[in-house]
Structure formats: C-alpha cells, structure tokens
Amino acid sequence: MATKAYRNQKTSRKSTHVANSLSNLPHLRIQGSARKSLGNVGFEEKHDTPTESPKEDIADKWRDIHGSSDWNNLLDPLNRLLRREIVKYGEFSQATYDAFDFDSLSEYCGSCKYNRHKLFEKLGLDKHGYNVSKYIYAMSHVEVPRWLEKSRVLENIWSKDSNWMGYVAVSDEKESKRIGRRDIVIAWRGTMAPSEWYEDLQRKLNPIGPHGEAKVEHGFLSIYTSKSDATRYNKSSASEQVMGEVKRLVQFYKEKGEEVSLTITGHSLGGALALLNAYEAASALPGLPISVMSFGAPRVGNIAFRDELHQKGVKILRVVVKQDLVPRMPGIVLNEGLQRFDDITGSLEWVYHHVGVELKVDVRSSPYLKHGFNLLGFHSVETYLHLVDGFHCSGSTFRSEARRDLALVNKACDMLVDELKIPHFWYQSANKGLERNAHGRWVKPKRDSEDIPSPIGEGNTLEPEMQNNLERLEALYGI
Amino acid sequence: MATKAYRNQKTSRKSTHVANSLSNLPHLRIQGSARKSLGNVGFEEKHDTPTESPKEDIADKWRDIHGSSDWNNLLDPLNRLLRREIVKYGEFSQATYDAFDFDSLSEYCGSCKYNRHKLFEKLGLDKHGYNVSKYIYAMSHVEVPRWLEKSRVLENIWSKDSNWMGYVAVSDEKESKRIGRRDIVIAWRGTMAPSEWYEDLQRKLNPIGPHGEAKVEHGFLSIYTSKSDATRYNKSSASEQVMGEVKRLVQFYKEKGEEVSLTITGHSLGGALALLNAYEAASALPGLPISVMSFGAPRVGNIAFRDELHQKGVKILRVVVKQDLVPRMPGIVLNEGLQRFDDITGSLEWVYHHVGVELKVDVRSSPYLKHGFNLLGFHSVETYLHLVDGFHCSGSTFRSEARRDLALVNKACDMLVDELKIPHFWYQSANKGLERNAHGRWVKPKRDSEDIPSPIGEGNTLEPEMQNNLERLEALYGI
C-alpha cells in the first residue's frame, strides 16, 4: 500500500507558491471561505457551498441548446445554460464507468453493479430527474484482454460474450417541464484504457447505411451490430436492443402528444458508438431532434459518413481536451498528413473525419490540474467536466465562479495538483466489495436478486422484469 | 481501473484443473462444503465455518510455549497450542500496518488511524483479549522517500519527524487466566516495501550495550534511539518511550503478585526493532521472561550481539518464509560467502548473524498460493500466517484442518491463486477515506478529537489523556 502512495512529482514555482499559501492553514477543511491568491485566479475553499448553480428553466430555448443552430454563438463564450446541460450528459457518460464491474476475478465481471431502478440513486445522479428504462449489452471481444481470453477463469464469469454497454433513460415529469420536452438519453460506455481497444482497431472501414459510400471503422461497427445465438444477452445486437427501446419510447410519448428529443452521449469508444447510434436513429426516425454529446471521442468514419450524418440533421457536439490523444485517433500521423492533402482534393474516401462541432478545452487553463504529460488524466471524463465547468471562452482563465467539486477530478486519475491533498484514483469500494460474514470470513456478498439483471447458471427462473423484456425482444425481433 | 484488474498470468496444468473443478459451481459462495480434489489435498469451501480453533487453556505449559526450552520438540511437528500463539502475535504485528495512515497526501500521514482505545476493535482484534496501553513513536528518516522530503507537501503533514511505530498492550483478566500470566506485548511496525529502507541501510555496525563488542546495524539503532527537542513526539526516543511503559507495567503487576511475561513482536524492520528492544529490556529487567516472535526479519547484528542476547536469556523465534529475501539481508551475497568462512574461524565480528530459533515455512507447501516469483507476496505477514496455519511438519503438505480465512492472504498482495477469485490487494477504505458532506462535496472527514493522538497546529489544547501521557513522560525523563 505504501508504494502506491509514493509518486514522483516535480516541484514547480507555482506549486511551491500554492503550498506556501496553504501552509498557513493547519486544516484542509475549514469553515467559511479563505481567499488565497494564485496567479490571477482567486482560490477559495468551497467546502460549504453547493456544487452546482441552481437549475433554470430552458423550455423556451431548448432547441438551440440541443444544437438546432449548431450551437452558433453559444460556445465561445460558453452559454451557462448549455454548460449545465453538457455537464449533465457528461455525468450520464461517467455513470457507465462508475457502475461497471471491472473486477476480472468476480463472477459478475462485465455486468452493471446495480439494478436499473437503483443505478442513478446509487451514483448520486437522481438529482438530474431521469429514469433508466433499459440496459444495453454488446458483444465485445476487443474489450477482453488477450491474457483473459486464454485463461480458464473466463468460464465462470457472468458472461464472456457480452458486456453491459450502457443504458436508455428518460426525463421525468419535472425535468421534462424544465427542459421543454421529453428527453430520451442513451449513454454508451467507453473504455478508460484506450490503448486496449486501440490496438485491436483494424483501422479498416466498413460500409454503413444503404448506399455503401458512408464507411465507419470496423471495430466500432462490430461492437454495435454483433450478435450470436450462442450468447445469452446478445441474441440481438446492441443496435437492435437500443433501437427497439427508442422506437417504443418515441411512439409512447408521441401518442401522449409530447415533444420528444433524443440525446446520445458517450466518452471515448462510447462517443464513437453514439455516432453509429445517431446515424441509425436518424434513418429510422426522421424528424426526431437528435443530438450527440461526446467526450474525448475518436474519429469514426469517412467524409461520406460525416456528410450523411449532417444531411440527416443530426447535431453533434464533440467536447475535446486539447491535450487528449484519443480524439486524434485513429491514424494520428496518417490523418494529420493526409488531412492537408484531403483538404486540397476532397476526395479521399478512406480517410477518417471528425463530425459536427467541437468545443475544445485546455488543461493549461486550470490552475488546479497538473500540466505534465498524463495520457490517462487528459482523457478522463472528470477532467473534461472540470474544464467545461471552468470554461468561459477560448484563451480565458478558469472561471472563478466555477462550483463543481474539485475532488471529482481525481476519482479515476491523478490530475489534481497535490497541494489540494485529494487522493489519487480515489473512487473505490471498501475492501474491494468483500464483507465479513457471520463467522468473520471475508466473502463477496451475493447480489440482491433484483441486482442480477439475468440469471446465473442453469435452472434459475428469470426475474419477472427480465422475462418481460425478453418476451418483448422476442416479439420485436422474432427470436 | 480496468488496467489494474488485468494482470498477466501463466496458465498451468494445476490451475486448469482447479478451474475445471470450480466451473461446476455457478456460485463461488455455496452452502455447506464441497470437496474438490487438488493433488493430494482436499479443497473445501469453508465459508460457513469458524476461522479459528477454540481457545484452549495453556496456563500449565505457558513457559514452554513462550520458549523457555527454545521450543524444543514444539516446532517440527508444530505444536497446535504454539501455532495459535504464533498467529496471535502475527496478527498483532499485522495490526501495525492496517492501522497506519500511509496516505502521503493526508495531513495525518504517519499517524495511527485510530485512538488506542479503539485500535483492536476497529481491526477486529479484540477477540484476543488484550488492551493497548501506549503508542510508540519513532523518528524515521529512512521511511520518508526522498522525493517526499524534497517536496513542500511535507510542511502540512501530521509530523514530518515522527511516525507511529507500534504499541504496548496487555492481556486482560480472562486472557491472562487462559495463558497463565499477565502478558505484555510490544508490537513494532515494519515496512511493507523493504527496498525503501533497504537502500538506506548503511550496512555499518554500531555498538550497543556497555561492552562495545555487541554491534547492530546503524539504521535500526538510529530508528530505535533517535530523539530531538525539535520534534513534537520524539523529545524522547522510541526506546525511552517503550522502556518507560514496560517498567511501569511490570512494576504495577508485580506489586499485585502476578506473574508477568514480555513478548515482543514485529515483521520485517519491526522484527529488527524487536531484537533491539529485547536486548534493552533484558538488561533493564533481568529475570523477566522475554521472548521475541518475529516474522520475515532481517539479520540485525554481529555474533557478539547474538551471544549476549542468548546469555541474557532472551528467547527468539524467527518465523521465516523460505522464499522471502528479507531474512537474508543485509548482505545477501556477502554473508552467504562469509558465513562459511566465519563458521571456520568464528571470529568475524562484523558479519551479520541471525539469532534464536528458526521456524521455516515454504510457499510451495500451499496449494492456495501462486508459486511464481513475488517479492512482496513472499514477504507479506498474511502469507506468513497462512503458511503457519497450514504447517504440520517440514516437508508435509498443507494441513487439511487449517481454518484460517484464505481471503486474508490477499489483503495487501496477490498471492492467492486466481481460481479462488479473491481480489488482489483488497484491504482498502471506501473512496480512500473521502466522504460526502452536506453539499455533496467529497472531503476528508476530520478525525474525532479522540482519534487525534496529538494536537495539530498552534493554540489547541491537548486532549486530557495526552496531557497525562505528556506529563508522565516529562516526569519520567525530565523533559
């Protein structure tokens, strides 16, 4: 345990300055606020203040905030109402990591830790006023590290073929009133360790859609569309699962006379899947306002894919940290060089293109972050949300009125300056989920039957809810 | 988080066999026991069984078990009553790690996390029937990694000069009756990462005791005897603190007509300090039965030191894992070569010698442990206790009646075979000690005033108990 806590750090004039300022405070946690100067930015201890601005009604401007005019005049400077919505969708993306069971030794590895009715409550996200209507599962061999595939441990895990890939959620009455419509959110899970899937990217393009000109990266498409009768949770693909649910929900609310929007969000790989999802949804549900809010997403497809997305009216806002390498993938060097060539000829079908509108934020704008090279930290969702929270306009310093809890940045990385004394990678369960039983033995507790989304082993009966879902899937897809 | 869970592992015929056996069980946690064959050893799921054999009265044989006859005929095969006592003292040693605040970013880094009245309860060790009477602090620059010394973060920590180094505890009425005497235990904290202090060992010997012939390693002696008026907690040295308390307790119980024993225990560096402590205690309190139970301790001093310890009647039992490198320190190569030379001449004063009696256990005797190279795992206290629990006699296989909770092995290492599905390095607090305050912000909670062993910052008054301790120290040592 001691070795983990010891990390190399370079001292810098700035951190010395901060440390000297802080050394006047014997306690990190203090009553009220104490203003400390840090360059040009006031640095306040905000422990006793709320972490968000009050919610505001956006009903009369929701379409603009949803991107109907490509966020024209809303990004630089960043409109405060838009900022709030971006952070909301970012937290929905982060939830896909917080709830995912990463423990490769657990029999539940690859599943969501919580039942869908408890997901937001367990993660403190019920404040947003959405309810989860469905979980999405995808087949994903790119996510199973090669050593795990070869080991026998796989035989016992929850499912070696499918992983929990995200969820569909809907705004409740109160939130729908505030935002002026019923909002259906789809959040796709990415990977925190992009190198693992990046290595497996074949960097070859496959056609999508009816014309064959639009092409997207093979691996992303494979995750989105793979299915196999041999699996338990992917007899239907992720695509089929999510489209079935979206169509059902859109029909349900339209019949009630409500306005409906679809907002698809995701980080990293999840941002790529969000684009594929948006492409399909726009084809299946023309006229439905569809926006994508992605964070640190790589390029996904060729120029024809980009153009078709735009033609279908899909609005895409890509939030990008300047120092993050993932948005430059695939083909960092290749693309950079060819881009210039492509700009001239406009005819390279097989070059990857970004789509939509970019909001670029900069690690160096924040005095709370270390600026040194940190691949994982630059790519982390919480780094993104911290920088969005502090973003006023390009080139400006961090907003002094920013309220978001700084500690969140270090949930799954070590980006915060050490003077703030927030532990690194702090988001973790007590004793990795082990609990003491009646004899004092440390054991993995069984999940509540409600929290097992599907039965384990043979001979168990499906939970009634799952049985309903299964029957509905079967009815929809004739499986 | 994903990258941490992915570790390379070689598949082996044995683990394949175990995995195949386990794959018949959809649930890891099962009712009752299921016998699985694993080579020659029965492998049972024991979740619903107690973790220890029942306590037995040893009052009429306590001296032998305490080592009065050098554990003659008690080690091979290992006497079951002795086994139980060894594990008890091993758990006292492990407690010094479990309660230590390792978080270099915490203002309490270097202190004990708990007030001494709560220590055993918090760690589940009140079952042993001992009460902590005093905490020990030592100055230790070998423990502060060099990068930390150079950074400014040090200015805010609890104490940059002193670390919590262990405790003195006494058996209560019930336990004293069971074991036939009042037992005073001193547990010294070691380091889990031996390389850190090993690099700082100067490997030079300093004299100890009045004659100047007995010599011990400089660094160990420095930790044990350093003090400085400039510090808060080490105006007196660790040696002075502990000897003051031991003398006080011995006098107290002798005046009540009780038999008293002193048992000093420690792991790694703690085992070395235990020897220094034993040397001093035997000099100051001749006639007091003094035993040392050490785990993975390095060599400490020269042959004269060894001989003087033996002459003073100190009994030492060194528990050693065969594959652990630390007991071969300092001077692995040097000693090995010189030992043969020394055996011939018997006159090399400056060569490090082990003392006392050795109980050697072997990683390969356990089918529950990975046998591959694992420096930290071989050295871990919980590995030691697992192997002692399973030890019958040298060369025998793991005891099938061993009850100790297997999961404990993986508290701070990854020694258990993965088929057992116990997380690696699982002993950890939820969210690294952060908690949400009323505003939903993640903060380090302040410690209860009872849990702060000493005041932080200026102007605070000492807790009454600490004030008493301080006054007593001052009275004892005239500071």
Side-chain angles (χ1 to χ4, degrees):
Chain A
M1 283 189 290
T3 50
K4 250 183 84 183
Y6 300 152
R7 290 184 189 279
N8 287 322
Q9 54 178 13
K10 292 199 269 244
T11 52
S12 69
R13 201 160 44 91
K14 174 157 67 169
S15 62
T16 304
H17 182 70
V18 172
N20 284 337
S21 307
L22 284 173
S23 64
N24 296 329
L25 297 169
H27 302 282
L28 181 65
R29 183 176 164 180
I30 56 171
Q31 300 302 316
S33 62
R35 193 170 287 276
K36 299 266 159 265
S37 67
L38 183 67
N40 298 327
V41 180
F43 170 59
E44 288 174 300
E45 279 290 16
K46 289 186 171 132
H47 283 143
D48 295 313
T49 60
T51 60
E52 294 166 334
S53 51
K55 289 194 190 186
E56 290 180 67
D57 197 297
I58 62 167
D60 57 342
K61 29 179 107 65
W62 78 262
R63 288 182 184 274
D64 274 339
I65 288 175
H66 202 240
S68 60
S69 305
D70 295 294
W71 297 281
N72 195 25
N73 291 329
L74 295 177
L75 294 177
D76 199 354
L78 181 58
N79 176 282
R80 79 175 188 286
L81 302 174
L82 173 59
R83 178 187 295 114
R84 220 183 185 288
E85 297 301 300
I86 292 173
V87 170
K88 177 177 91 180
Y89 294 112
E91 291 191 345
F92 286 151
S93 287
Q94 176 62 27
T96 61
Y97 294 121
D98 289 346
F100 185 66
D101 195 331
F102 283 99
D103 182 3
S104 58
L105 294 177
S106 162
E107 59 186 307
Y108 297 114
C109 182
S111 72
C112 178
K113 290 191 264 193
Y114 313 115
N115 170 279
R116 67 174 174 87
H117 297 298
K118 295 181 185 172
L119 176 69
F120 283 163
E121 176 207 324
K122 292 280 189 177
L123 299 181
L125 295 181
D126 36 4
K127 62 182 178 175
H128 288 313
Y130 282 68
N131 295 307
V132 178
S133 75
K134 187 172 173 66
Y135 279 169
I136 310 165
Y137 301 92
M139 285 181 69
S140 176
H141 287 285
V142 298
E143 290 197 280
V144 176
R146 292 183 195 84
W147 70 264
L148 185 59
E149 279 191 305
K150 294 195 192 111
S151 89
R152 294 306 192 108
V153 173
L154 254 191
E155 290 173 7
N156 288 328
I157 66 176
W158 173 77
S159 167
K160 67 181 173 193
D161 296 312
S162 298
N163 285 328
W164 181 66
M165 213 63 212
Y167 57 89
V168 183
V170 188
S171 53
D172 63 16
E173 294 296 321
K174 189 173 167 189
E175 174 72 352
S176 300
K177 191 163 179 300
R178 181 188 80 85
I179 60 175
R181 81 287 185 186
R182 187 74 62 167
D183 183 40
I184 301 168
V185 156
I186 308 171
W188 291 91
R189 182 175 61 79
T191 46
M192 286 305 290
S195 63
E196 287 166 8
W197 55 258
Y198 181 62
E199 282 163 20
D200 291 308
L201 286 189
Q202 304 197 26
R203 273 172 266 183
K204 69 179 192 236
L205 290 158
N206 288 160
I208 191 176
H211 308 294
E213 279 164 14
K215 294 183 173 57
V216 295
E217 199 281 328
H218 163 85
F220 301 151
L221 192 61
S222 171
I223 294 169
Y224 187 62
T225 57
S226 288
K227 61 182 179 180
S228 163
D229 274 348
T231 70
R232 183 179 286 277
Y233 309 115
N234 280 111
K235 289 178 167 58
S236 62
S237 65
S239 155
E240 289 164 340
Q241 294 168 29
V242 73
M243 288 309 303
E245 182 67 1
V246 168
K247 286 174 185 168
R248 182 185 76 81
L249 289 166
V250 168
Q251 183 180 358
F252 179 80
Y253 288 107
K254 291 223 141 152
E255 279 170 6
K256 291 172 77 186
E258 295 192 32
E259 283 204 86
V260 183
S261 69
L262 179 60
T263 315
I264 315 180
T265 187
H267 165 262
S268 197
L269 166 68
L273 298 175
L275 282 190
L276 303 184
N277 188 187
Y279 183 96
E280 184 173 23
S283 308
L285 299 158
L288 179 68
I290 301 175
S291 295
V292 173
M293 298 244 184
S294 71
F295 302 84
R299 295 182 176 94
V300 175
N302 65 358
I303 202 167
F305 174 69
R306 180 193 74 181
D307 293 344
E308 284 187 37
L309 264 176
H310 292 166
Q311 282 153 22
K312 291 177 195 300
V314 176
K315 303 300 180 187
I316 300 117
L317 180 61
R318 290 181 300 103
V319 187
V320 171
V321 164
K322 179 178 173 183
Q323 291 81 3
D324 185 2
L325 291 187
V326 177
R328 302 189 210 175
M329 294 182 185
I332 294 175
V333 175
L334 182 70
N335 257 27
E336 241 83 291
L338 287 173
Q339 190 74 55
R340 279 178 229 107
F341 184 62
D342 190 49
D343 287 342
I344 298 167
T345 67
S347 64
L348 285 173
E349 307 181 9
W350 41 274
V351 171
Y352 289 88
H353 279 263
H354 269 307
V355 304
V357 177
E358 185 176 273
L359 169 62
K360 183 167 272 185
V361 290
D362 190 333
V363 166
R364 289 174 187 274
S365 69
S366 169
Y368 305 105
L369 304 181
K370 294 175 197 161
H371 296 169
F373 185 74
N374 188 334
L375 213 55
L376 189 71
F378 292 162
H379 187 53
S380 161
V381 178
E382 293 290 353
T383 298
Y384 271 76
L385 299 183
H386 168 74
L387 291 173
V388 168
D389 187 45
F391 184 81
H392 171 57
C393 65
S394 49
S396 70
T397 49
F398 205 84
R399 287 196 314 134
S400 54
E401 318 83 44
R403 298 181 189 219
R404 189 175 174 76
D405 187 7
L406 294 176
L408 294 171
V409 175
N410 266 12
K411 275 170 81 168
C413 70
D414 56 349
M415 283 290 283
L416 287 175
V417 291
D418 285 336
E419 286 79 2
L420 289 171
K421 298 210 170 171
I422 302 297
H424 306 154
F425 296 89
W426 61 257
Y427 188 73
Q428 62 182 30
S429 56
N431 299 312
K432 297 199 178 178
L434 292 179
E435 292 175 15
R436 300 190 79 157
N437 71 6
H439 291 284
R441 290 187 181 277
W442 290 92
V443 295
K444 271 272 168 73
K446 284 188 64 129
R447 286 201 184 160
D448 290 346
S449 57
E450 272 201 88
D451 284 344
I452 300 176
S454 296
I456 308 286
E458 294 172 321
N460 296 29
T461 50
L462 283 177
E463 302 305 320
E465 181 196 337
M466 279 312 297
Q467 187 64 37
N468 288 343
N469 283 342
L470 193 59
E471 284 162 356
R472 208 169 47 194
L473 269 179
E474 288 166 354
L476 272 169
Y477 300 115
I479 39 173
Chain B
M1 284 190 287
T3 49
K4 251 184 84 187
Y6 300 152
R7 293 183 190 277
N8 287 321
Q9 51 176 16
K10 293 199 267 249
T11 51
S12 69
R13 201 161 43 91
K14 174 158 64 171
S15 63
T16 303
H17 181 72
V18 173
N20 284 339
S21 305
L22 283 173
S23 65
N24 296 329
L25 295 170
H27 302 282
L28 181 66
R29 184 176 163 182
I30 55 172
Q31 302 303 317
S33 62
R35 193 171 288 276
K36 299 264 159 265
S37 67
L38 185 69
N40 297 328
V41 179
F43 170 58
E44 289 174 302
E45 281 288 13
K46 290 187 173 133
H47 284 142
D48 295 314
T49 61
T51 59
E52 294 166 333
S53 51
K55 289 193 190 185
E56 291 180 67
D57 196 297
I58 61 168
D60 58 343
K61 30 180 108 61
W62 77 263
R63 289 181 184 275
D64 274 340
I65 289 175
H66 202 240
S68 59
S69 307
D70 296 296
W71 296 281
N72 194 27
N73 291 329
L74 294 177
L75 294 178
D76 199 352
L78 181 58
N79 176 280
R80 79 176 188 284
L81 301 174
L82 172 58
R83 178 188 294 114
R84 220 181 185 291
E85 296 302 300
I86 292 173
V87 169
K88 177 177 91 181
Y89 294 112
E91 291 191 345
F92 286 150
S93 287
Q94 176 63 25
T96 60
Y97 294 122
D98 289 346
F100 185 66
D101 195 330
F102 282 99
D103 182 1
S104 60
L105 292 178
S106 163
E107 57 187 306
Y108 298 113
C109 182
S111 72
C112 179
K113 288 191 265 194
Y114 312 115
N115 171 278
R116 67 174 174 87
H117 298 297
K118 296 183 185 173
L119 176 70
F120 283 163
E121 177 205 323
K122 291 279 190 180
L123 299 181
L125 296 181
D126 37 3
K127 63 183 178 175
H128 288 313
Y130 282 68
N131 295 306
V132 177
S133 76
K134 187 172 173 66
Y135 279 169
I136 310 165
Y137 300 91
M139 285 181 68
S140 174
H141 285 286
V142 297
E143 290 196 281
V144 176
R146 292 182 196 83
W147 71 264
L148 185 60
E149 279 190 307
K150 293 194 192 109
S151 89
R152 294 305 193 108
V153 175
L154 254 190
E155 290 173 7
N156 288 329
I157 68 177
W158 174 74
S159 167
K160 65 182 174 193
D161 296 311
S162 299
N163 285 329
W164 181 67
M165 213 63 213
Y167 57 89
V168 183
V170 188
S171 51
D172 63 17
E173 293 295 324
K174 189 172 167 190
E175 174 72 351
S176 300
K177 190 160 181 298
R178 181 186 82 83
I179 61 176
R181 81 285 186 187
R182 188 73 62 167
D183 183 41
I184 301 168
V185 156
I186 308 171
W188 290 92
R189 182 174 62 80
T191 46
M192 286 305 289
S195 62
E196 287 166 8
W197 56 259
Y198 181 62
E199 283 165 19
D200 291 305
L201 286 188
Q202 303 196 26
R203 274 172 263 182
K204 70 178 190 236
L205 291 159
N206 288 160
I208 191 175
H211 307 294
E213 279 164 15
K215 293 182 173 62
V216 297
E217 199 281 325
H218 163 86
F220 302 149
L221 192 62
S222 171
I223 294 170
Y224 187 63
T225 57
S226 288
K227 61 182 179 181
S228 162
D229 275 349
T231 69
R232 182 178 289 277
Y233 309 115
N234 280 111
K235 290 178 167 59
S236 62
S237 65
S239 156
E240 289 165 339
Q241 293 169 31
V242 73
M243 287 311 303
E245 182 67 1
V246 169
K247 286 175 185 168
R248 182 186 77 81
L249 290 166
V250 168
Q251 183 178 358
F252 179 80
Y253 287 107
K254 291 224 141 155
E255 279 170 7
K256 291 173 76 184
E258 296 192 30
E259 283 204 84
V260 184
S261 69
L262 179 60
T263 315
I264 315 180
T265 187
H267 165 262
S268 197
L269 165 69
L273 298 175
L275 283 189
L276 303 183
N277 188 185
Y279 184 95
E280 185 174 21
S283 308
L285 300 156
L288 180 68
I290 301 175
S291 296
V292 173
M293 298 244 182
S294 72
F295 302 84
R299 294 183 177 92
V300 175
N302 65 358
I303 204 168
F305 174 68
R306 179 192 76 182
D307 293 344
E308 284 185 37
L309 265 175
H310 292 164
Q311 282 153 22
K312 292 178 195 295
V314 176
K315 302 301 181 187
I316 300 118
L317 179 62
R318 289 181 301 103
V319 188
V320 171
V321 164
K322 179 178 172 182
Q323 289 82 3
D324 185 2
L325 290 186
V326 177
R328 303 189 212 176
M329 295 183 187
I332 293 175
V333 175
L334 181 68
N335 257 26
E336 241 83 289
L338 288 171
Q339 190 74 55
R340 276 178 232 109
F341 183 63
D342 189 49
D343 287 341
I344 299 166
T345 65
S347 65
L348 284 174
E349 305 180 11
W350 41 274
V351 172
Y352 289 88
H353 280 261
H354 269 308
V355 305
V357 177
E358 186 176 273
L359 170 62
K360 184 167 271 184
V361 290
D362 190 332
V363 167
R364 290 174 187 274
S365 70
S366 169
Y368 304 105
L369 303 182
K370 295 177 197 163
H371 296 170
F373 185 73
N374 188 335
L375 213 54
L376 188 72
F378 292 160
H379 187 52
S380 161
V381 178
E382 293 289 354
T383 298
Y384 271 76
L385 299 184
H386 168 75
L387 291 173
V388 168
D389 187 45
F391 184 81
H392 170 59
C393 65
S394 49
S396 70
T397 50
F398 205 84
R399 284 195 316 135
S400 54
E401 318 83 44
R403 297 180 190 221
R404 188 175 175 75
D405 188 6
L406 294 176
L408 293 171
V409 174
N410 266 12
K411 275 170 80 167
C413 70
D414 57 348
M415 282 291 282
L416 287 176
V417 291
D418 285 336
E419 286 80 359
L420 289 171
K421 298 209 170 172
I422 301 297
H424 306 154
F425 297 88
W426 61 256
Y427 188 73
Q428 63 182 29
S429 55
N431 299 313
K432 296 199 179 179
L434 293 178
E435 291 175 15
R436 300 190 80 159
N437 71 5
H439 291 286
R441 289 186 183 276
W442 291 92
V443 295
K444 270 275 166 72
K446 284 188 65 125
R447 288 202 183 158
D448 290 346
S449 56
E450 273 199 85
D451 285 343
I452 299 176
S454 297
I456 309 285
E458 294 170 320
N460 297 28
T461 50
L462 283 177
E463 302 307 320
E465 179 195 341
M466 278 312 297
Q467 188 64 36
N468 290 343
N469 282 341
L470 192 59
E471 283 161 0
R472 205 164 54 185
L473 268 178
E474 288 166 355
L476 272 170
Y477 300 115
I479 38 173

